[in-house]
Amino acid sequence: MTKILDGREEYKKILTAQATQARKIASHGFAVGFTMLSVGEDDAKLQYALANKRACANAGINAVYEVLPAEFTTEQVVKRIMELNADPTVNGIMVLAPYPKHIDGSKINSAISPEKDVDGQTPRCISDLYANRNGKDTFYPCTPYGAIKLLKRYNVDLDGKNVTIVGRSTVVGKPMAALMLNENATVTICHTHTKNLRAACKNADIIVLAAGKANLLDKSMVREGVVVIDFGSNFVDGKVVGDADYDGLLGIVGAITPVPGGCGPMTTAVMLENIIKAAKRQYKIR
Ligand code: NAP
């Protein structure tokens, strides 16, 4: 029997809790503000921003999606981020990736005030993550931290477990590895140069998929009872599917996140939590 790790259910609970916190902030005479910046426009970013705006509206957060011209230089984008840093009505800032090729992403991430860095991308937040400093005092990246929260919600023990992560990007695979290490898991990170992906997956108690390749993980690659976290988001025959052969793994794996409805809603949930946390800190509300 495979347990479905339902991100949507958990999202609803977190949304309700954050809406309560937003009302508490309002009772002190403050509003919660969040700005998503994009350099240039594309449909994927627009859809992502609109979904985030809807979630924020439901939580009582004023979200703004601001598109800067694609030809803006790194310095022009940094200048706009500095203005947002100084704006007391903006509690959280997120710059949506990917950036145009001429933009220096590290300068963009460094420009965001760590107090408003609700996706944990500034050097200070990344350093806190890798140094395993207290999560209460920093912001962890929404996507990998959402999956950790979901695992905890379902009481999946991470301590001492063999975790195989497929993918080494700086947005998903690497921060997920750091979070797992912070939970005392033993971590293996795989990528396109990994010699024996099958063996690495067979050895795992928990497999994390962050490759963006449909059907990458099938039943021949897993031990019975393994937990599968699937970040993958792939369009196949007009449908969004993960990196796992979901139907083929049902009944074999112990637990799995569905796509959609697993990691995606948890990313949004952590984003809401981080925005509220930032606002409460900035307004000095406990
Ligand atoms: P990415 O930057 O393209 O990185 C993909 C990683 O997977 C790379 O490290 C790559 O290895 C590795 N990889 C690709 N094919 C592989 C294979 N056949 N075997 C082993 N490793 C392989 O992607 P990303 O931004 O991390 O995103 C990964 C997936 O998560 C995507 O589907 C994305 O849409 C999704 N995503 C979901 C959420 C969410 O749930 N909220 C958020 C962000 C992203 P190399 O380094 O060797 O190239």
Side-chain angles (χ1 to χ4, degrees):
M1 178 70 172
T2 300
K3 185 172 279 183
I4 308 304
L5 305 177
D6 186 344
R8 284 191 179 127
E9 258 325 290
E10 191 55 14
Y11 168 74
K12 282 185 210 157
K13 289 183 199 150
I14 292 175
L15 171 67
T16 303
Q18 299 318 302
T20 304
Q21 293 304 310
R23 281 194 295 276
K24 182 175 169 183
I25 292 168
S27 75
H28 285 78
F30 297 112
V32 184
F34 170 53
T35 295
M36 289 169 281
L37 265 191
S38 173
V39 189
E41 175 72 290
D42 69 40
D43 194 51
K45 282 201 254 186
L46 176 65
Q47 295 312 322
Y48 181 66
L50 291 177
N52 283 347
K53 272 188 86 164
R54 280 194 295 275
C56 285
N58 289 335
I61 295 168
N62 302 321
V64 171
Y65 176 46
E66 183 179 328
V67 181
L68 302 176
E71 50 292 349
F72 255 33
T73 63
T74 300
E75 288 65 36
Q76 285 173 303
V77 180
V78 165
K79 182 170 174 284
R80 181 63 191 130
I81 292 171
M82 293 299 182
E83 287 165 4
L84 294 169
N85 285 344
D87 184 341
T89 68
V90 176
N91 304 110
I93 302 168
M94 198 183 264
V95 186
L96 305 189
Y99 314 130
K101 283 202 168 52
H102 67 276
I103 294 287
D104 181 343
S106 67
K107 284 191 180 156
I108 300 299
N109 289 340
S110 301
I112 301 168
S113 161
E115 309 301 320
K116 300 189 177 187
D117 176 22
V118 292
D119 197 21
Q121 296 300 316
T122 54
R124 194 173 98 193
C125 288
I126 291 170
S127 148
D128 286 344
L129 167 65
Y130 285 96
N132 194 13
R133 287 193 196 99
N134 189 348
K136 287 199 178 74
D137 297 330
T138 190
F139 296 108
Y140 289 149
C142 302
T143 296
Y145 194 49
I148 295 284
K149 286 187 86 97
L150 191 60
L151 287 165
K152 289 192 171 179
R153 152 73 185 81
Y154 282 93
N155 298 317
V156 177
D157 187 20
L158 303 174
D159 198 308
K161 294 292 159 61
N162 287 338
V163 176
T164 293
I165 299 173
V166 189
R168 57 175 166 179
S169 76
T170 51
V171 283
V172 192
K174 281 179 186 160
M176 190 66 189
L179 287 165
M180 285 291 188
L181 282 173
N182 294 349
E183 296 293 334
N184 295 319
T186 301
V187 178
T188 302
I189 307 180
C190 301
H191 43 78
T192 56
H193 294 246
T194 297
K195 295 273 186 264
N196 196 338
L197 183 64
R198 180 179 304 269
C201 291
K202 274 266 187 199
N203 184 46
D205 303 304
I206 298 165
I207 300 172
V208 176
L209 299 167
K213 293 277 175 300
N215 291 318
L216 183 65
L217 187 82
D218 65 35
K219 63 182 179 186
S220 74
M221 300 167 73
V222 302
R223 278 200 316 225
E224 217 169 291
V226 67
V227 174
V228 178
I229 295 292
D230 193 349
F231 287 110
S233 178
N234 311 292
F235 281 96
V236 177
D237 298 332
K239 279 197 334 192
V240 180
V241 299
D243 289 353
D245 170 18
Y246 184 81
D247 292 337
L249 291 172
L250 288 178
I252 296 168
V253 301
I256 189 166
T257 54
V259 178
C263 295
M266 291 307 296
T267 297
T268 315
V270 173
M271 179 193 78
L272 297 177
E273 282 187 337
N274 284 351
I275 297 166
I276 293 290
K277 181 163 123 177
K280 284 173 82 175
R281 263 204 235 149
Q282 287 155 40
Y283 296 137
K284 300 191 175 17
I285 297 169
R286 287 168 67 92

